[in-house]
Amino acid sequence: MNIYHEHPLRILRYSIKNIWLLIFPLLRGIRTLRFNRSWFYEWLQGAWFDIMILGLIVIFGLFQWYFSRIIITSSSITHRYGIVFRIKTTIPFCNISSTSFESPIYLSPFGAVKVRCDTRAGIFKSSDMKVMVNRRIMPELKSKLPGIKAGEASCDFPKASAISVILFSIFFSSGFSGTVYLATFFFKGGDIARDMIGTYLDRITESTEKFTGKLLQRIPDAAVGLGILFVGAWLISFFINITRYYAFSLNTSDRAIKLNYGLFNRKEYTLVKEHINYIDIRQNMIMKGFRAIAVHVSCAGYGNSRKSLPVLLPVRRERGIREDLVKIGINRGDKSRFKPVWTGYWQYVWIPVLTSLSLVPVYMIVTRAIPMLNTLTVFVAVMAEVPAVWLIAVKTVAFFTSGISIYDDRIKLHYNRFTTFHTIIADRNKLVKVELEQTIFQKIGRRGSLSFWFEGETKRRHKIRALSEKNIAIISEMLDIELFKLIDA
């Protein structure tokens, strides 16, 4: 058994927790505030009080750090901390689902590393154990924590190419297609609004010509500014993802998968294979056109924050991904065996179709009520139709590609959520819940929708619509559940 302190830099973190004590120096400063020359001298006379408070904050952080201990045994890791209320967290190595080692560039000169350990217990995607350690104890930690030991790697993948990381950053940076659409809307909409308002104001009076001229010049500038704002936000997200997934590499053994990536914050993740909930292969319409896919993974502790995605393989060609998944230990299986019935097509497209059709009467009503807005109304109507028609195309493709396949001990689901296509591959023993949905009309048409939930820290639904009752009965038999008996009861 070995006992270690956390890295001394942790003193700052513990001190910050008591930053609220600075309210007392602030109140003293406000009380002595005078708008004259003597105020500074009055404040300086009581500065000892402010220094004492700062000293208490640092001392309290120092005590917190001193009583924080990391205990490593042959079978577990323990973090013990607290002064008045002692808290002791112990995690057996065999129960750890994932570990991460982060080396931000600002911690490198101090030899500090952030270590996180996660299990399948807990809620809100919070880490079960988070400590900061000295780089000197890293070899011992890695030798005890689940991972790929020397000589155990069964397959080393080459580092992801720059093109792969760039494409991944493009497709998964704050809604690429939505950003392009909004930027186009504001760039073109500003010019139309200026021309329309200018024509209208010319009919009113010439006395305000100077004022309206300046006003109209600002309309396209404001619209272009909003467009640039959206494009700029996406570019920031794009470059952040480039640096975040820089030099992405993966290797695997029979028990674990290790991932390394990052430029300014180098991260090393280890995922225990038996604790992986499911594999999520993602595409959008553009990626489908180029037969490109990105592979994500659901595993406790990986991709938990909003700042990162649970990526297993960045954008790759679909043709070669089967061999890569087999190397990792995942078999994609055959094509979908149970697919939606033809009579269920409307169930996929009814929302975008009704949205698209409703825009026509709305356009006609607005045009007749306010004729002078005709040009702007046409532009807005066309721009509103574009995403509706695009969504009809997405849902149509989803209808033809959705389905379920059950083979060996695996379940494979093809479905669509909004504009993203998902292929879920999971072991049967990871399935925790199945739900059958049938409306009155679906009951008459002898079809229904199946929803699946798998193990995981968050509740995520995977829904396949418009399956025939016959196929649902076969699926329920293969999964050894009685869906129709339950729903009829």
Side-chain angles (χ1 to χ4, degrees):
M1 180 177 70
N2 295 321
I3 301 176
Y4 302 97
H5 282 294
E6 289 189 83
H7 195 280
L9 281 180
R10 199 68 172 175
I11 297 173
L12 297 176
R13 181 65 180 271
Y14 288 128
S15 298
I16 290 174
K17 291 182 179 180
N18 299 285
I19 200 72
W20 61 272
L21 290 173
L22 290 178
I23 192 173
F24 297 109
L26 178 63
L27 291 174
R28 190 188 72 83
I30 294 174
R31 184 175 60 84
T32 60
L33 182 62
R34 302 286 188 276
F35 293 99
N36 52 47
R37 296 180 180 179
S38 63
W39 171 80
F40 177 74
Y41 297 103
E42 292 180 11
W43 175 84
L44 194 61
Q45 289 177 353
W48 63 269
F49 179 78
D50 301 345
I51 296 172
M52 182 187 70
I53 294 296
L54 288 173
L56 286 175
I57 291 175
V58 174
I59 290 172
F60 191 81
L62 181 62
F63 272 94
Q64 284 279 76
W65 170 81
Y66 180 78
F67 285 101
S68 175
R69 304 291 176 90
I70 301 168
I71 304 168
I72 302 174
T73 67
S74 59
S75 60
S76 67
I77 180 171
T78 299
H79 183 209
R80 188 179 64 197
Y81 61 98
I83 300 176
V84 179
F85 299 99
R86 304 283 285 170
I87 299 174
K88 183 177 179 181
T89 302
T90 300
I91 303 179
F93 293 133
C94 61
N95 291 336
I96 293 178
S97 301
S98 68
T99 59
S100 70
F101 301 94
E102 295 185 28
S103 303
I105 192 170
Y106 60 87
L107 292 182
S108 296
F110 304 99
V113 180
K114 294 180 180 179
V115 181
R116 288 182 172 87
C117 298
D118 281 274
T119 69
R120 289 176 288 186
I123 57 175
F124 304 126
K125 296 184 176 181
S126 58
S127 295
D128 296 305
M129 183 179 292
K130 181 169 60 175
V131 294
M132 182 186 293
V133 301
N134 196 301
R135 194 179 296 276
R136 291 195 301 269
I137 73 170
M138 291 294 293
E140 181 179 356
L141 269 177
K142 289 187 176 182
S143 67
K144 298 292 180 64
L145 292 171
I148 300 176
K149 307 301 186 290
E152 289 184 356
S154 59
C155 180
D156 289 327
F157 287 80
K159 288 186 177 180
S161 65
I163 295 296
S164 175
V165 175
I166 289 172
L167 289 175
F168 180 83
S169 300
I170 288 175
F171 292 131
F172 293 94
S173 296
S174 300
F176 173 64
S177 57
T179 301
V180 174
Y181 170 79
L182 288 172
T184 303
F185 181 86
F186 285 110
F187 288 155
K188 186 61 179 174
D191 293 334
I192 292 176
R194 179 185 60 183
D195 296 339
M196 183 198 69
I197 295 174
T199 302
Y200 174 69
L201 291 178
D202 286 341
R203 297 175 183 175
I204 299 178
T205 180
E206 295 181 358
S207 61
T208 57
E209 181 178 356
K210 187 176 181 179
F211 171 75
T212 57
K214 293 182 179 180
L215 177 64
L216 293 176
Q217 288 176 0
R218 294 179 180 178
I219 291 176
D221 293 340
V224 170
L226 286 172
I228 293 174
L229 178 65
F230 284 107
V231 174
W234 177 83
L235 285 174
I236 292 172
S237 177
F238 169 74
F239 284 114
I240 288 175
N241 279 338
I242 286 287
T243 59
R244 182 173 292 151
Y245 299 105
Y246 173 83
F248 189 100
S249 66
L250 179 150
N251 57 60
T252 179
S253 67
D254 294 336
R255 183 170 180 245
I257 297 173
K258 187 168 74 171
L259 303 162
N260 288 273
Y261 53 82
L263 179 60
F264 302 115
N265 184 10
R266 195 66 186 170
K267 297 181 180 181
E268 178 184 316
Y269 282 95
T270 299
L271 314 180
V272 178
K273 285 185 175 180
E274 65 178 352
H275 290 184
I276 291 176
N277 303 313
Y278 56 83
I279 300 296
D280 184 1
I281 301 175
R282 300 186 184 183
Q283 290 177 296
N284 56 31
M285 282 286 281
I286 299 174
M287 294 172 69
K288 270 191 171 293
F290 289 97
R291 293 186 175 277
I293 61 176
V295 182
H296 292 212
V297 62
S298 171
C299 184
Y302 183 53
N304 279 350
S305 69
R306 294 181 180 179
K307 297 180 181 179
S308 61
L309 295 170
V311 57
L312 186 62
L313 291 172
V315 175
R316 303 286 293 273
R317 292 298 299 272
E318 192 170 5
R319 182 187 304 173
I321 200 67
R322 183 185 295 270
E323 296 179 0
D324 291 341
L325 291 178
V326 170
K327 290 178 183 177
I328 298 172
I330 302 163
N331 182 12
R332 288 190 67 183
D334 302 322
K335 294 182 178 180
S336 298
R337 179 179 175 185
F338 308 104
K339 300 182 70 66
V341 294
W342 285 96
T343 55
Y345 175 69
W346 179 249
Q347 194 173 344
Y348 280 78
V349 300
W350 70 273
I351 293 179
V353 167
L354 292 181
T355 302
S356 178
L357 294 176
S358 65
L359 291 173
V360 177
V362 171
Y363 160 72
M364 296 177 65
I365 291 171
V366 174
T367 301
R368 290 180 181 179
I370 315 175
M372 63 181 180
L373 296 179
N374 182 58
T375 304
L376 184 61
T377 305
V378 171
F379 173 74
V380 173
V382 171
M383 292 299 291
E385 280 286 358
V386 170
V389 173
W390 177 258
L391 201 55
I392 291 173
V394 170
K395 296 302 180 182
T396 300
V397 173
F399 170 74
F400 286 104
T401 58
S402 295
I404 301 173
S405 182
I406 301 174
Y407 55 94
D408 300 331
D409 293 326
R410 297 286 177 89
I411 299 175
K412 183 176 73 171
L413 310 175
H414 287 283
Y415 72 99
N416 158 263
R417 180 182 284 116
F418 194 50
T419 60
T420 304
F421 299 90
H422 297 264
T423 298
I424 304 297
I425 303 173
D427 291 336
R428 284 200 205 185
N429 57 12
K430 303 293 183 181
L431 183 65
V432 296
K433 179 181 176 182
V434 182
E435 183 177 89
L436 169 62
E437 295 180 19
Q438 278 187 306
T439 64
I440 295 175
F441 300 105
Q442 291 170 358
K443 186 69 176 177
I444 295 172
R446 302 185 66 79
R447 64 179 185 274
S449 301
L450 280 182
S451 297
F452 296 80
W453 285 265
F454 298 96
E455 292 180 358
E457 289 184 299
T458 58
K459 187 177 180 181
R460 190 171 183 85
R461 183 181 196 174
H462 312 280
K463 186 175 181 178
I464 295 86
R465 298 177 173 86
L467 296 169
S468 68
E469 285 190 350
K470 178 181 178 181
N471 284 341
I472 292 175
I474 296 174
I475 292 170
S476 64
E477 183 178 351
M478 295 178 73
L479 296 177
D480 196 23
I481 52 179
E482 297 289 346
L483 291 170
F484 285 110
K485 287 184 178 180
L486 291 174
I487 199 168
D488 291 339

